[in-house]
Amino acid sequence: GRLLEVQTTEETLRLQEETVIHFRLFTGSELSSELLQEIRAFDGFASGLQKAYHYLSFKPRSVAQMKEYLVKKEIDAVDKIITELKSKGYLNDEQTARIIADQVLSQAKGKKIIRQKLIQAKIHPSIIDVVLGETTVDQTDVERRLRSYLKPTTKSKRAFHASLMQKMMASGFSSTSFNKRFKT
């Protein structure tokens, strides 16, 4: 939101547009100390909410990531902002976990990488287990990743297999899913 300046009888306030509208403020407003305190609290919440929306605009975030961000930005109304974002559907750890899992799968990577990305996103372990339980890596995902590694080589068959195994496991696939497709 935009910042607006409101000249009261005592001072000039720089407030969020939402705050000015909410309190119907205008230049020359006389404000009691109680009302001024209420205005500042509301403005802190409105400002923090704007920062939270900005942070969410880049990618989905977990509740823990959002709390960490707001604390780092020295926002006072963290719990109130989190509640507001949850109620509007902007913060949902299960939904965020599923989006991350889909993104990782679209890159032809396996469940181990999904788990790592979910841990990095500070998703609760119980949600990680649920999402990984729902996620299936089918043979086409394995084959798509394998094809990306198949290039002409002068390596022996055994060295080539070992190299492929290492690359597939680094991409988050289990050795059993790999060995089903590529037998030596």
Side-chain angles (χ1 to χ4, degrees):
R2 294 183 329 175
L3 283 177
L4 301 176
E5 285 189 2
V6 176
Q7 178 67 44
T8 68
T9 53
E10 297 86 30
E11 62 183 301
T12 300
L13 301 173
R14 288 181 52 86
L15 302 170
Q16 294 287 323
E17 182 176 26
E18 295 84 13
T19 306
V20 174
I21 293 168
H22 180 78
F23 287 96
R24 297 184 180 117
L25 299 174
F26 52 90
T27 298
S29 296
E30 289 189 33
L31 307 174
S32 67
S33 60
E34 295 83 24
L35 183 57
L36 190 57
Q37 188 175 357
E38 189 180 332
I39 288 169
R40 286 195 170 117
F42 185 89
D43 195 62
F45 168 75
S47 176
L49 194 57
Q50 287 303 316
K51 286 180 174 137
Y53 287 141
H54 178 73
Y55 187 56
L56 284 170
S57 71
F58 298 103
K59 65 181 182 180
R61 308 290 182 167
S62 68
V63 171
Q65 284 176 312
M66 182 59 72
K67 279 184 182 176
E68 187 177 278
Y69 173 80
L70 293 172
V71 167
K72 186 175 129 186
K73 292 290 185 180
E74 299 178 357
I75 305 297
D76 292 329
V78 173
D79 292 335
K80 188 175 177 184
I81 291 169
I82 296 291
T83 302
E84 178 77 9
L85 293 171
K86 282 181 175 180
S87 73
K88 290 185 175 182
Y90 292 124
L91 275 184
N92 180 325
D93 281 1
E94 282 188 40
Q95 184 180 12
T96 298
R98 286 185 181 97
I99 290 169
I100 292 169
D102 289 345
Q103 288 171 344
V104 172
L105 283 176
S106 73
Q107 299 166 356
K109 295 192 177 180
K111 285 188 173 187
K112 290 179 185 175
I113 300 295
I114 293 171
R115 180 178 294 281
Q116 287 175 349
K117 295 289 185 186
L118 295 177
I119 290 169
Q120 287 171 357
K122 300 180 181 340
I123 301 292
H124 192 274
S126 63
I127 295 174
I128 291 174
D129 292 340
V130 167
V131 170
L132 286 176
E134 297 170 354
T135 304
T136 57
V137 178
D138 60 22
Q139 205 57 35
T140 56
D141 295 323
V142 175
E143 289 173 12
R144 197 168 75 187
R145 177 53 63 176
L146 266 173
R147 268 189 244 105
S148 73
Y149 295 136
L150 295 177
K151 297 174 184 141
T153 183
T154 57
K155 294 179 184 175
S156 69
K157 186 175 182 180
R158 181 179 298 276
F160 178 68
H161 181 264
S163 172
L164 273 177
M165 174 72 81
Q166 185 178 15
K167 289 177 181 177
M168 291 297 287
M169 291 182 76
S171 293
F173 292 99
S174 68
S175 60
T176 54
S177 67
F178 170 71
N179 283 324
K180 288 178 190 173
R181 175 71 180 104
F182 191 82
K183 299 203 186 321
T184 54

